[in-house]
Amino acid sequence: MTDIITLTGLVATSPRHIVTSEGLTITSFRLASNQRRFDRTQNAWVDGDTNWYTITAFRQLGTHVASSVEKGQRVIVTGRVRIRDWESGEKSGTTIEIDAESIGHDLTWGRATFTRSVIAAKAEGTEGATSGAEASSDSGDLPPSSDRAAALDADEPVLEFAASGASTPF
């Protein structure tokens, strides 16, 4: 059975982004999560113990995390828990890893701007698949149409960003 957990905390390390030789995108970082509580005897907020997690995001989520999340930001992570014991010489310990299903900024602590990405795949009649994004040709985030067409001809997915206000079916 797989346990699902939701965590909030600080991104403690700069996200490490790699692409394997098989083309799998992986981004990982360490997350520090601690509890604060009000101590009535001291009449002050005190920090509790810090829990440390290794967060790993794969495929498109990994790509988005690499371009969106930075060290020091507060995030919310939901994913599958893996607890592993390790040994290295005389040292041993336990690592808690989270295979992320979703990651986002914790809006309790700030604001974020969302940009939806769209993957255009090669298929018969794909002309309508990107028409909503192409209709907003004033966006600097979109690649030129010729680049999209060349990538579609090469059987590779194309990552596009929908312009603000563009009609997107969710």
Side-chain angles (χ1 to χ4, degrees):
M1 173 182 251
T2 303
D3 293 327
I4 303 292
I5 189 170
T6 299
L7 303 165
T8 61
L10 284 168
V11 177
T13 60
S14 295
R16 190 178 130 228
H17 178 72
I18 64 168
V19 178
T20 66
S21 58
E22 293 83 29
L24 178 64
T25 300
I26 304 171
T27 302
S28 63
F29 60 90
R30 297 280 287 162
L31 181 78
S33 177
N34 70 336
Q35 302 285 321
R36 289 190 58 130
R37 61 181 177 77
F38 189 78
D39 186 339
R40 292 177 192 243
T41 59
Q42 297 179 19
N43 199 29
W45 287 94
V46 294
D47 288 328
D49 293 331
T50 300
N51 292 322
W52 294 91
Y53 303 92
T54 299
I55 310 297
T56 306
F58 297 92
R59 298 175 189 78
Q60 188 169 354
L61 177 59
T63 301
H64 291 171
V65 167
S67 63
S68 301
V69 174
E70 297 175 1
K71 180 179 176 179
Q73 294 179 338
R74 292 186 178 264
V75 294
I76 300 173
V77 177
T78 298
R80 293 177 302 284
V81 179
R82 286 194 187 147
I83 300 173
R84 300 182 192 265
D85 293 323
W86 57 268
E87 290 184 24
S88 176
E90 295 181 15
K91 296 181 181 180
S92 64
T94 302
T95 299
I96 303 173
E97 300 174 353
I98 309 297
D99 289 339
E101 292 181 358
S102 51
I103 299 174
H105 289 100
D106 186 346
L107 298 181
T108 302
W109 300 95
R111 297 184 313 206
T113 302
F114 180 76
T115 304
R116 183 171 184 262
S117 63
V118 180
I119 295 183
K122 183 177 181 180
E124 294 297 322
T126 56
E127 296 156 9
T130 59
S131 62
E134 288 176 349
S136 302
S137 60
D138 61 334
S139 174
D141 292 337
L142 297 175
S145 297
S146 60
D147 291 348
R148 286 193 297 265
L152 290 175
D153 291 338
D155 289 330
E156 296 179 12
V158 177
L159 184 63
E160 297 182 3
F161 295 98
S164 297
S167 173
T168 56
F170 282 96

